[in-house]
Amino acid sequence: MNAFDAYPTTDFISQAWHHLQVFWSFEDINATWVLFGSLLLGMSASVIGAFAFLRKRSLLGDALAHAALPGVMMAFLLSGSRDAEVIFVGALASSLIGFWIIDWLPKNTKIKPDAALAITLSFFFALGLMLLSYIQNTDLPDKSGLDKLLFGQAAAITSEDIQLLIIVTTLVLLTVLLFFQKLRLITFNRSYAKTLGINVKFYEMLLAIMIVLSVVVGLQLVGVVLMAAILLTPIAAARFWSHQLSTLLMLAALFGAISAILGAQISYVAPAMPTGPWIVVSLSLLFFISFLVAPKQGLLKRYLEYRRLKQRVILENILRTLYKLLEREHFQRNQFTLAEITELRSLKSIQLKQSLAILNKRKLVIEAQQRYSLSEEGLLKAIKLTRRHRLWESYLSQHADLNSEQVHQQAERIEHILNKEQEQQIVAELMEQFDPHGSPIPKLPSQNLQEKSQ
């Protein structure tokens, strides 16, 4: 029995375990070819697809995959053969014509690049479906299975397909390795690459040919419809983990390889499961895992950062409120009740108590008999915050057409992220000693000492 077919009995677990053992023993040559071919395609398509993704031409791979379909059908009609080499040549010619149209339309008409992609994709796909329908209604021999190119049929992969995959994968990886610096420059700054004398058109054509080759050899495994996912999803997942292009390419190749192994294994073990869709599902799972937990841009990290920032803002607002109370009492009283604090800063009672407990633990606020005062360290921090708040208010009132309430709202946000260098730049531009509300801009203790010594 071919494990890519459905199980004949309902003893699922024992048969799945048996097939898993057979799969990793490499006794089934067909399963080994599927695994090897998926690995090659996963790595090469992920690496070359990364450049299309980073150049914001993600739909290019999808359009070229759909453009390959009529070429395959024409090659079969003209030759009457389904040999891998014949199909490859037909798909390659058709995809290259599709790429030429995608490139020509925006340059010579008023059609935008995205519209050119959509027009080419839909036209070639419709043409391919028409030819496929025509072939299926003829008496041509060996026509069965051509419709599998739409979604792929990994189980039908042959040694000729594997040879083509090895050649294309080697070609793609060598191209990226040899021209990495130039491809990187063209990807991120095309205009600068031109000023350096780099033949941008040549390298863009080289990239396009590599994408076309990867698409064409992947049709048997994942089909026309799903090929774009193999090209783009790995790099989309890798973007959550790194910003370095070399690291991105390695991660994309790794994700492509992992999804290929998972897809090939699941389709072999589970009953009647197609390999291509499982590879895409595995890639999508890797994407969502990266989206959630990646240390650079993952959702969980961003949520924790947001929580930390929100807490820091609350704590700093309380410090500044205590300073304002101190200022209101002309620095004669440094102990304030919860009611006095909430009079100036709107916070829930429980949130205020928790925040004051944190400040007390950090030795920025001192608590005595349910009254709160700034410690020496807390006072210094409150002065810095108040100074930045009022400096930014003064800067906005001079340079922006905002009323006093608007500048206050803006300063409430900026005071928490303004750094020392930015503060010094504002001071260098301003000669003000009072903010737009008439409150004094406090000086740092070091400034007061410096003035006294003079």
Side-chain angles (χ1 to χ4, degrees), residues 307-323:
R307 285 283 304 271
R308 281 195 289 270
L309 177 63
K310 188 178 176 183
Q311 186 185 53
R312 184 163 71 85
V313 167
I314 291 172
L315 296 178
E316 290 182 351
N317 282 340
I318 292 173
L319 287 176
R320 208 165 64 75
T321 302
L322 285 169
Y323 180 82

Side-chain angles (χ1 to χ4, degrees), residues 48-58 231-232 235-236 239:
I48 203 65
F51 289 98
F53 178 88
L54 295 171
R55 297 184 70 212
K56 300 179 180 177
R57 301 198 71 184
S58 298
L231 287 165
L232 305 175
I235 184 63
R239 287 282 283 177

